[in-house]
Amino acid sequence: MKQFFIWSLLLVGQLVYGQYENSLLWEISGNGLEENSYLYGTMHLHDDRVYRFGDSVMVKFEKCEAIALEIVDDAFTDPSALDPSLLGDVMMPDGKKLEDMVSKKDFKTIKRLFNESLEATMPEDMEGGFLVKMMSGMLINRMKPMFTSTLISARSANMDHPLPLDGYLMERGQQLGKKMISIESIDEQMDAINNIPVEEQAEMLVEMIQHLDEMDVEMEEMIEAYEQQNLNKILEVTQEYAGDAVEDELLIKRNNTMTVRVDSFIKEQSTFVAVGAAHLIGETGLIDQLRNLGYTVEAVMSSHNPKQMELNKLYQWMTGSFDSQTQSMEDSTYYDISLEMHPIWEESDEKWIYVEQAMSSKKEAPYRQRVYKLEALEDGSYVSYVYTLPDEKNYIGQWDNEELFDKLTPEMLIEREGCAVILKK
């Protein structure tokens, strides 16, 4: 169902997959390489949320001798540079027309959405954009439905940047004077699309316009998963939509070709390889296939990945000295409570907080002492686990005493079952 969503982003899921660390950047080493290379998962959108690189991405990008993208073509950054001979591949063969494959009502809806999407994604001041708009009536009827689906499906994403992420990486690589490598040819990508009958494409296009609200939700989920660098969530969102033909043509065959070519590129020089994120994962994904060839492929974890940044922000909000004095003065039914929440074990990778709660008039005798541990969950929410500590009285007012807390270890704490708090933004 809704295979249109998959091909629009070239993010096709596998039904069999492993678990991956939350990272879009992966280091390739070993197997005789003189210098390490890198894999990076992209999303083919203009949305600012897909541009939020971790702290290592551009460092590795600039370090590598070559940049390898799915396609390196000037049309990526300038529509007027599109090779006119490719229009034949974009158009349906044998004079076929979309209006002959769908109902009049559906054709009218598709045409309206197509024009709205053009308006949103291709401003008139973009070079070549005005001509495309003028030809929209002819394009909608003769263009292969897959391309129409791609345009319409991206309409709900933000247009924050003039180029999709891949186009930006191509432009930046050229500015830096890098060797630019096209992993595939445009003809090869066109062949993958052409192997899916246009009648089947039209059926999927109709299904898409009948589920627009659902598609918009899926798009938002996909962008959020990408922003969190959550490859497992990307597969979870997409795996149910990949039919055999789409999966075989747009993912499996292309992954096999990409793996062979990436293997040759990285043997020649250090290469930053950027492809659609789902090409990295799954049984036929580049990560596992390169591992099978003998390479070590490991996640490059960023201290600035969005999920970690949100956890750090929550940690900062929850720590400090708090009280309800103002509330108690305004309403005498409320007590003036003092709450102390302070970081402990700050050198640990985990987020631990010592908590002390007392009447403000009796801070020396808290009625509750706890230790919290904060963790990020896969669904984008957070959990605060609650623990009691031994010999509580020894810790009263001692949250700044690092030496004292160094003698305490997580193994000495007792988790309060059923008391964990789930937090959502």
Side-chain angles (χ1 to χ4, degrees):
M1 181 179 174
K2 295 188 289 302
Q3 295 171 23
F4 60 82
F5 183 68
I6 305 306
W7 72 43
S8 67
L9 299 177
L10 293 180
L11 287 173
V12 187
Q14 283 278 110
L15 295 179
V16 179
Y17 57 94
Q19 292 294 305
Y20 299 89
E21 292 95 334
N22 284 355
S23 179
L24 298 171
L25 182 64
W26 295 71
E27 184 177 61
I28 310 168
S29 62
N31 202 26
L33 291 183
E34 295 183 4
E35 294 184 85
N36 295 347
S37 289
Y38 297 88
L39 288 174
Y40 186 66
T42 67
M43 200 170 186
H44 312 313
L45 294 174
H46 301 248
D47 198 299
D48 187 61
R49 290 170 290 177
V50 308
Y51 270 76
R52 296 174 185 173
F53 306 119
D55 52 4
S56 300
V57 175
M58 296 314 292
V59 173
K60 304 303 184 185
F61 183 92
E62 294 181 6
K63 177 182 177 181
C64 287
E65 298 173 52
I67 308 299
L69 305 172
E70 290 179 31
I71 293 292
V72 175
D73 191 278
D74 289 340
F76 230 142
T77 56
D78 178 10
S80 66
L82 182 68
D83 185 348
S85 66
L86 292 175
L87 289 176
D89 289 319
V90 173
M91 299 302 175
M92 288 191 280
D94 306 321
K96 292 183 178 181
K97 297 180 181 179
L98 182 63
E99 61 184 343
D100 296 330
M101 302 178 188
V102 303
S103 70
K104 290 183 178 180
K105 179 181 178 182
D106 287 336
F107 182 74
K108 184 177 180 180
T109 301
I110 293 169
K111 188 174 182 179
R112 173 179 59 79
L113 291 169
F114 182 83
N115 287 327
E116 289 176 359
S117 300
L118 272 182
E119 192 68 32
T121 60
M122 192 175 291
E124 288 190 6
D125 59 357
M126 180 183 290
E127 188 174 356
F130 180 74
L131 178 60
V132 172
K133 288 184 180 182
M134 288 289 290
M135 299 172 61
S136 64
M138 182 270 290
L139 286 173
I140 187 64
N141 210 13
R142 295 293 315 283
M143 192 162 65
K144 289 171 182 171
M146 181 175 290
F147 296 105
T148 303
S149 298
T150 301
L151 181 65
I152 294 175
S153 66
R155 83 195 200 295
S156 60
N158 299 327
M159 293 295 294
D160 300 310
H161 294 265
L163 296 174
L165 178 56
D166 305 73
Y168 166 77
L169 294 176
M170 188 189 87
E171 183 178 68
R172 183 61 182 149
Q174 291 172 333
Q175 290 171 347
L176 292 172
K178 300 292 185 180
K179 178 181 179 181
M180 302 301 297
I181 300 173
S182 191
I183 303 174
E184 302 173 295
S185 69
I186 293 180
D187 286 342
E188 287 174 323
Q189 287 201 349
M190 288 294 186
D191 285 344
I193 295 170
N194 292 340
N195 287 334
I196 301 172
V198 292
E199 291 79 8
E200 184 177 342
Q201 296 181 29
E203 290 176 7
M204 295 177 184
L205 174 57
V206 169
E207 188 176 12
M208 180 183 77
I209 68 168
Q210 293 175 349
H211 297 85
L212 281 178
D213 290 342
E214 192 174 342
M215 184 197 70
D216 290 343
V217 170
E218 290 160 3
M219 173 68 80
E220 190 64 22
E221 287 180 354
M222 183 66 73
I223 294 174
E224 288 179 3
Y226 184 87
E227 186 180 14
Q228 294 168 3
Q229 306 192 45
N230 190 338
L231 297 181
N232 300 303
K233 182 65 175 179
I234 289 174
L235 282 175
E236 180 185 325
V237 172
T238 62
Q239 63 173 340
E240 63 184 287
Y241 305 126
D244 291 342
V246 174
E247 181 180 13
D248 189 50
E249 295 298 337
L250 296 186
L251 184 73
I252 297 175
K253 289 181 180 179
R254 293 178 61 209
N255 283 354
N256 293 339
T257 299
M258 287 182 181
T259 300
V260 171
R261 291 174 183 171
V262 169
D263 177 40
S264 66
F265 301 152
I266 63 179
K267 287 175 179 175
E268 294 179 8
Q269 69 271 304
S270 60
T271 307
F272 188 96
V273 180
V275 295
H279 288 296
L280 302 185
I281 46 187
E283 189 176 26
T284 68
L286 270 63
I287 291 173
D288 284 349
Q289 289 215 54
L290 287 171
R291 285 172 173 169
N292 291 338
L293 290 176
Y295 295 102
T296 298
V297 186
E298 297 178 313
V300 179
M301 304 305 293
S302 168
S303 60
H304 296 299
N305 79 53
K307 193 170 186 178
Q308 185 64 35
M309 291 172 70
E310 289 296 302
L311 181 62
N312 292 341
K313 185 186 298 182
L314 176 62
Y315 184 58
Q316 292 170 1
W317 285 347
M318 288 182 63
T319 53
S321 299
F322 309 94
D323 65 65
S324 57
Q325 181 182 40
T326 301
Q327 186 180 30
S328 67
M329 292 174 64
E330 294 176 351
D331 188 339
S332 60
T333 62
Y334 287 94
Y335 293 109
D336 181 4
I337 302 298
S338 169
L339 178 64
E340 299 290 345
M341 301 181 67
H342 298 277
I344 58 173
W345 305 326
E346 294 186 74
E347 293 184 1
S348 167
D349 291 333
E350 297 175 314
K351 304 296 184 184
W352 295 94
I353 303 173
Y354 170 70
V355 181
E356 221 173 82
Q357 197 165 351
M359 298 290 292
S360 292
S361 59
K362 297 182 179 180
K363 291 185 178 181
E364 73 284 357
Y367 58 82
R368 182 175 293 121
Q369 291 171 262
R370 299 285 187 266
V371 172
Y372 295 168
K373 182 174 73 169
L374 293 182
E375 286 186 4
L377 299 178
E378 290 300 323
D379 65 358
S381 61
Y382 300 84
V383 60
S384 176
Y385 296 105
V386 180
Y387 301 84
T388 57
L389 61 168
D391 302 318
E392 292 179 338
K393 62 183 180 182
N394 295 334
Y395 297 91
I396 296 174
Q398 296 296 311
W399 49 81
D400 289 331
N401 188 338
E402 292 185 17
E403 184 177 346
L404 177 63
F405 277 95
D406 283 344
K407 296 177 182 178
L408 181 70
T409 66
E411 291 74 26
M412 297 166 66
L413 303 177
I414 300 174
E415 183 177 355
R416 291 180 61 87
E417 298 291 340
C419 291
V421 179
I422 303 298
L423 303 162
K424 294 185 177 181
K425 189 172 181 181

